[in-house]
Amino acid sequence: IMKLIFISDTHTKERYVDIPEGDIIFHCGDISTRGYSYEIRDFGEWFADLPHKYKVMIPGNHDFLFEREPEKARSIIEECGDIHLLIDQGIEIEGLKIWGSPITPWFWDWAFNRARNTLNGINQGDNIDNGIKKHWDLIPSEVDVLLTHGPPHGAGFLGTVLREREDVGCEDLAQAIRERKIGLNAFGHIHEGYGILETEETIFVNCSILDVRYDPVNKPIQFEWREGKFSQPEESSEG
């Protein structure tokens, strides 16, 4: 059994979070407010110091340095300790196949924003080659855990902005997940969408720690992975 811990959207408030024990801890992006170097270093030092054997992270739309100066941002994380930073990249840990991407559909020109390919055609002045679909096309055919910063379309309340009551998830991402029959997709981005949605083929996890007021009120989400199957530990099943 491998114990998996999922968190996202800590926005510099990671030290207020009670992190449970586990084998792998995943962070699905937005570690900072605006991607300042000192924020990234502070997070990296905290993350690397956790007792979990493996630490895996992706950036989010707030983490600008990872897109504007990727080598600098990666070097900061590497200096902090043994952290696996995935930006449209994969890793296999003790048989668990993982892929991570920070890309989200365009809105207000944040970091790692790309134009949607299937919703209302190509917008924001992008052509099809610069759209979001090409990032999802990179996902391998066999993935157990997919880390994305934003949700796929159709993940119910996990990807719904309550104020507009609109599902802001990515259609192209949803299609990629269906085609590959991915076991678990973890993300954040939509703070009010915290929770779990299980379907026949995929478990969707919104592990945002902060709520819409940016208060660290949500608990890390836990899963166990055994013989290719995911399950929630009994003590955390009600969360």
Side-chain angles (χ1 to χ4, degrees):
I1 300 176
M2 290 187 71
K3 294 183 178 179
L4 315 178
I5 311 299
F6 296 91
I7 60 175
S8 187
D9 295 79
T10 48
H11 294 283
T12 75
K13 296 182 179 180
E14 62 275 353
R15 286 175 171 80
Y16 294 99
V17 186
D18 184 13
I19 304 292
E21 295 179 354
D23 299 297
I24 310 178
I25 181 164
F26 300 92
H27 196 296
C28 296
D30 278 3
I31 66 176
S32 67
T33 61
R34 288 278 175 168
Y36 300 120
S37 297
Y38 71 88
E39 295 176 326
I40 293 169
R41 185 174 300 279
D42 193 48
F43 169 84
E45 291 174 351
W46 170 83
F47 202 48
D49 197 44
L50 292 175
H52 306 71
K53 186 175 181 180
Y54 304 102
K55 294 102 177 175
V56 183
M57 65 168 289
I58 62 172
N61 62 286
H62 279 253
D63 303 324
F64 284 97
L65 192 69
F66 288 91
E67 182 167 48
R68 293 173 178 170
E69 299 182 67
E71 292 183 3
K72 180 179 180 180
R74 186 175 289 276
S75 68
I76 291 173
I77 291 297
E78 289 176 351
E79 289 167 7
C80 291
D82 190 11
I83 298 171
H84 300 287
L85 170 64
L86 304 180
I87 301 179
D88 284 336
Q89 293 169 301
I91 187 174
E92 183 171 332
I93 296 177
E94 297 187 18
L96 185 71
K97 297 180 176 66
I98 304 158
W99 186 267
S101 176
I103 304 300
T104 50
W106 190 96
F107 73 110
W108 296 339
D109 201 20
W110 288 84
F112 298 107
N113 277 188
R114 301 293 184 270
R116 297 174 186 260
N117 283 98
T118 58
L119 181 65
N120 302 324
I122 300 301
N123 51 25
Q124 320 310 334
D126 263 324
N127 61 45
I128 193 164
D129 293 330
N130 292 327
I132 203 167
K133 185 176 182 296
K134 71 174 186 178
H135 294 277
W136 309 138
D137 287 344
L138 297 172
I139 301 171
S141 58
E142 293 185 9
V143 173
D144 299 306
V145 173
L146 174 64
L147 307 177
T148 54
H149 181 56
H153 190 79
F157 69 95
L158 305 187
T160 298
V161 176
L162 295 181
R163 186 168 50 189
E164 289 86 9
R165 296 185 179 180
E166 177 185 359
D167 182 345
V168 297
C170 177
E171 285 92 341
D172 293 290
L173 174 58
Q175 181 178 347
I177 291 171
R178 286 193 299 269
E179 290 173 349
R180 292 158 178 80
K181 296 179 171 60
I182 290 170
L184 189 149
N185 173 212
F187 50 87
H189 191 41
I190 308 303
H191 292 196
E192 60 264 54
Y194 171 82
I196 299 168
L197 177 67
E198 296 194 32
T199 68
E200 286 188 14
E201 290 186 341
T202 305
I203 300 170
F204 298 99
V205 177
N206 183 326
C207 50
S208 296
I209 295 299
L210 304 192
D211 64 8
V212 290
R213 296 187 177 94
Y214 278 62
D215 292 326
V217 299
N218 297 325
K219 296 179 180 180
I221 292 180
Q222 306 178 54
F223 273 90
E224 294 178 347
W225 188 69
R226 183 208 304 250
E227 298 177 353
K229 293 184 178 180
F230 297 97
S231 62
Q232 279 193 275
E234 291 184 8
E235 64 270 18
S236 66
S237 60
E238 62 185 34

